[in-house]
Amino acid sequence: MNRSRHSQLTESLGKSAKASVNGHQNSHKQSSSTERHSIRRFNSYGFIKCVKEAYNSSRLKTDRAEEDKDLVIKSKKNYEWYSVAIPSIDPRLSVNVRFYNSSVNIKDLTGFNNTGNICLWPSEEIMALFCAKNSAIFDNKSVCELGGGMTCLAALLIGKFSQPKEVFLTDGNEASFENLEKICDRNEFECSVECCLLQWNKNLNYGDLEERFDYILCADCLFFDEFREDLCGTIFKLLKNDGTCLIFAPNRQNTFHKFVDMAKIKFECMIVNDYDLEVWERHLSEKENNSEYDEDIHYPLLLKLKKRTKQTNDFCKMVL
């Protein structure tokens, strides 16, 4: 596997972008808005299978030799390794993912935003499933997942199920970035997979990442008012002129549509409700049978973005 860390980009983003968000970040974590948007009563659609890994003696010895500091962190933060697969597609293809369990103190996870650090949200689950089912569209393409939290599961599965040119796993939280590096070290891919500490800033120069990606992926990152404009600007900078951005996110008290209204300035936008028959049927079943299921915060809509150009006049007819 060919991996690099984009150390210069990481350093510049870690300094300049932090300055733009640290001013409101602490109050952000404690806000009632965060608690309202992040509430979890429904955990999973059940498409992803996670099996806890058991350490063998040789692996534990290697981990101790290479991750002394991480072993100390482990005793404090209590993470576990899992084998993650989508049985309905191919149970033999799996990725090794490190999850922090629910006992982690959210105060320990400081950074750009930490709501994606604790668990796998339904939007990420569905985006990962969608990407695995439509793996061919990513062949020979440059792919980037923005705000992927602790796992960037969709991007990881693209590395397994597809034959992309390259895949970037990114998040703006330092703890997430470090966890992504651990995950990449544990897995092997036939394509280039890179981890990047990348924070959204519409005014930032992203260097060689600008207009680099054929596909940009994003799951459930639209609900913070403060970051919506920066996310939109970052997508526009990183996406190729003929590229496509796929965003999976629930309505969340109309925050989805607030982003769409903002994105229309730079992008042609298409909203798709029933993008996958299996997911749609599971959604309808949960609505009817699960009292804890709330469509507004659990069912991810699909938003497709393409840059506004002369060639996008017929965007409404666009297919993946």
Side-chain angles (χ1 to χ4, degrees):
M1 174 177 64
N2 177 19
R3 297 191 303 271
S4 65
R5 301 306 183 207
H6 273 257
S7 57
Q8 292 180 336
L9 177 63
T10 297
E11 182 178 358
S12 66
L13 295 180
K15 293 179 181 178
S16 59
K18 278 183 186 176
S20 70
V21 300
N22 281 348
H24 56 254
Q25 158 187 101
N26 291 331
S27 60
H28 208 45
K29 291 185 225 174
Q30 304 299 329
S31 70
S32 60
S33 175
T34 302
E35 294 173 359
R36 181 179 68 251
H37 290 320
S38 301
I39 188 169
R40 282 175 66 84
R41 294 187 297 269
F42 166 80
N43 292 319
S44 171
Y45 285 95
F47 294 113
I48 305 292
K49 182 179 181 181
C50 299
V51 179
K52 184 177 177 180
E53 290 187 352
Y55 276 98
N56 58 45
S57 58
S58 60
R59 174 174 289 177
L60 184 59
K61 183 177 180 180
T62 300
D63 286 347
R64 282 176 174 166
E66 297 180 354
E67 304 180 11
D68 289 340
K69 294 182 180 179
D70 187 57
L71 288 174
V72 175
I73 294 174
K74 177 183 177 182
S75 65
K76 295 180 180 179
K77 293 188 175 178
N78 196 14
Y79 67 78
E80 300 288 352
W81 282 96
Y82 287 81
S83 176
V84 178
I86 304 178
S88 63
I89 297 179
D90 191 340
R92 299 168 299 176
L93 287 177
S94 64
V95 289
N96 299 312
V97 175
R98 192 173 80 156
F99 289 111
Y100 285 94
N101 70 18
S102 59
S103 66
V104 180
N105 188 335
I106 198 168
K107 293 181 180 179
D108 293 334
L109 295 170
T110 58
F112 178 66
N113 176 261
N114 51 29
T115 57
N117 296 337
I118 306 300
C119 51
L120 184 65
W121 296 88
S123 292
E124 178 76 6
E125 174 192 9
I126 297 304
M127 185 169 76
L129 175 71
F130 180 90
C131 291
K133 283 188 171 184
N134 297 277
S135 60
I137 68 173
F138 304 109
D139 289 349
N140 301 311
K141 304 297 185 181
S142 294
V143 181
C144 175
E145 181 170 351
L146 293 178
M150 281 286 184
T151 64
C152 282
L153 184 59
L156 283 173
L157 291 177
I158 287 172
K160 285 288 186 179
F161 285 95
S162 306
Q163 298 178 0
K165 176 183 177 182
E166 60 182 356
V167 177
F168 274 66
L169 285 60
T170 79
D171 195 77
N173 177 278
E174 291 185 8
S176 294
F177 168 68
E178 292 172 1
N179 199 63
L180 292 173
E181 286 198 308
K182 299 276 191 301
I183 291 173
C184 282
D185 288 340
R186 179 65 66 88
N187 291 277
E188 293 187 2
F189 302 91
E190 296 183 359
C191 63
S192 171
V193 177
E194 306 186 16
C195 300
C196 184
L197 178 64
L198 192 151
Q199 298 175 341
W200 312 328
N201 188 325
K202 64 179 181 179
N203 299 316
L204 197 63
N205 185 337
Y206 288 98
D208 65 350
L209 295 186
E210 294 199 359
E211 297 187 358
R212 178 168 183 154
F213 298 105
D214 300 287
Y215 281 94
I216 290 178
L217 311 172
C218 191
D220 207 352
C221 292
L222 308 182
F223 51 89
F224 284 123
D225 294 338
E226 295 89 337
F227 300 141
R228 221 171 275 137
E229 187 175 357
D230 281 325
L231 174 58
C232 187
T234 300
I235 293 171
F236 189 84
K237 285 190 172 187
L238 303 189
L239 193 64
K240 289 182 178 179
N241 287 334
D242 60 348
T244 302
C245 178
L246 303 176
I247 299 177
F248 289 79
N251 181 56
R252 286 195 188 277
Q253 299 181 340
N254 211 41
T255 56
F256 179 95
H257 294 283
K258 287 181 180 178
F259 179 85
V260 173
D261 290 341
M262 179 181 297
K264 286 178 180 178
I265 299 174
K266 294 178 177 291
F267 298 96
E268 296 287 352
C269 304
M270 174 187 285
I271 300 172
V272 187
N273 292 289
D274 52 348
Y275 43 82
D276 181 274
L277 179 59
E278 186 179 18
V279 173
W280 183 252
E281 290 179 345
R282 186 70 56 87
H283 159 62
L284 295 178
S285 176
E286 294 292 341
K287 278 185 65 175
E288 182 177 355
N289 302 308
N290 187 347
S291 61
E292 296 184 339
Y293 184 79
D294 184 343
E295 179 177 6
D296 185 68
I297 61 175
H298 295 136
Y299 182 70
L301 305 170
L302 169 57
L303 173 63
K304 301 179 186 179
L305 303 178
K306 287 187 80 72
K307 289 183 177 180
R308 282 189 175 276
T309 65
K310 293 180 180 179
Q311 288 72 32
T312 59
N313 290 334
D314 295 329
F315 180 75
C316 289
K317 300 178 182 179
M318 186 195 77
V319 296
L320 286 173

